[in-house]
Amino acid sequence: MDDTKSLAEEIERNNFMLAALHHKSARKSASAKLKEYHKDDRIIDVWESLGKSVISLYSACRSVDIADKTSGACSLVERKVKVHIYEQLGKKIRSTKKETFGSGVPAKEKISIEITNSLTNQLLGAIQYNLGFTRLNTDFIQKYISLGSINIVPEKDSKTQLQEYCQSIKKLLPSYSLLEEIGPAHSRTFKVRVDALNISCEGTGPSKRLAELEAARQFIEKYSIRVPSKKN
């Protein structure tokens, strides 16, 4: 059985998981799924916050296991593990087609990173809340997420790469501007613009720093920036 089918069947067997995959536009319709747990749709906000914390904690613990025991290396690996979890699990959740949206949500928005990450947080938080971390870790994280392909070799982050490129061609350093900050306090999304070389690019993330890193990464990829190679 492939991962998508297995995950879809697991979600279908548990009403709390189905409820967790309700977008904010369809929260009221989650109430029927939550009756057996004596909860209303407000619990989904709790699950989202809990899921975000679980992913952060898991990423931090894994980074200590697989990185050099230096703060810089651990921070780099922690970010990579976190991104990997959201990318892998988010893609599988979308493939199950178990999400529920209210009317009027554009198709493009339904597959956006922000919404996919939010639903991923809600699902993992619901599993943690109802089954505990041991079950979450063994039956979901280890089962549906592979960290083997993560490149843990220390490297410069995207902001540093872009800055060093600008320095190498004697241009002004990149500048970053916060465009907007949306969402509830427990699940903020930041949008940042980076300006460099008379062009700009935007990025989003759950913190201002991660949004800046994403903006720089998008800039490097979009404009095919050749970053200076790391010297041995």
Side-chain angles (χ1 to χ4, degrees):
M1 183 184 298
D2 62 51
D3 282 355
T4 299
K5 184 176 180 181
S6 174
L7 180 58
E9 291 181 354
E10 187 69 32
I11 293 170
E12 193 65 39
R13 284 194 294 268
N14 294 276
N15 275 336
F16 73 85
M17 294 187 195
L18 288 170
L21 292 179
H22 279 63
H23 179 249
K24 289 178 173 60
S25 61
R27 285 287 176 84
K28 293 302 179 183
S29 65
S31 298
K33 304 290 185 185
L34 293 167
K35 280 184 179 178
E36 66 180 272
Y37 308 101
H38 307 290
K39 304 291 183 184
D40 59 35
D41 60 278
R42 292 175 295 179
I43 192 64
I44 300 177
D45 287 328
V46 175
W47 291 346
E48 182 176 9
S49 181
L50 181 58
K52 187 175 182 179
S53 297
V54 165
I55 290 176
S56 294
L57 177 60
Y58 179 83
S59 300
C61 291
R62 292 295 291 127
S63 72
V64 173
D65 291 339
I66 62 181
D68 293 332
K69 301 303 186 290
T70 60
S71 60
C74 287
S75 295
L76 172 64
V77 175
E78 180 182 350
R79 291 195 297 272
K80 287 188 172 184
V81 170
K82 189 178 295 186
V83 168
H84 221 60
I85 291 173
Y86 280 120
E87 286 181 347
Q88 287 195 14
L89 195 53
K91 182 178 180 181
K92 288 171 182 175
I93 289 172
R94 286 201 308 270
S95 297
T96 67
K97 301 187 185 303
K98 297 299 181 182
E99 316 103 303
T100 300
F101 295 91
S103 59
V105 180
K108 186 176 181 180
E109 187 177 339
K110 291 179 181 179
I111 60 173
S112 68
I113 293 175
E114 292 82 4
I115 287 181
T116 299
N117 288 355
S118 177
L119 292 175
T120 300
N121 287 334
Q122 289 171 196
L123 179 61
L124 292 188
I127 297 169
Q128 164 72 31
Y129 185 91
N130 289 279
L131 302 180
F133 182 75
T134 299
R135 287 282 304 279
L136 171 63
N137 186 35
T138 58
D139 294 354
F140 291 88
I141 295 178
Q142 292 186 23
K143 184 175 181 179
Y144 296 113
I145 299 170
S146 171
L147 302 180
S149 61
I150 295 180
N151 176 14
I152 64 170
V153 176
E155 62 183 29
K156 296 171 182 174
D157 64 39
S158 54
K159 287 183 65 176
T160 302
Q161 290 176 353
L162 182 56
Q163 176 175 307
E164 291 187 354
Y165 174 79
C166 291
Q167 289 175 324
S168 72
I169 60 173
K170 296 180 169 47
K171 298 293 184 181
L172 291 175
L173 297 182
S175 63
Y176 296 85
S177 304
L178 178 62
L179 299 181
E180 63 177 347
E181 183 180 344
I182 59 175
H186 66 275
S187 183
R188 304 294 279 172
T189 296
F190 297 80
K191 180 184 285 187
V192 166
R193 184 184 69 235
V194 57
D195 293 286
L197 309 176
N198 296 318
I199 48 182
S200 63
C201 200
E202 296 179 3
T204 61
S207 71
K208 185 179 177 183
R209 171 174 167 73
L210 290 178
E212 289 176 347
L213 289 169
E214 178 62 16
R217 186 189 70 80
Q218 293 279 1
F219 190 104
I220 290 169
E221 290 187 0
K222 183 175 181 179
Y223 299 108
S224 302
I225 299 297
R226 292 180 176 273
V227 297
S229 299
K230 182 179 180 180
K231 295 181 180 180
N232 295 324

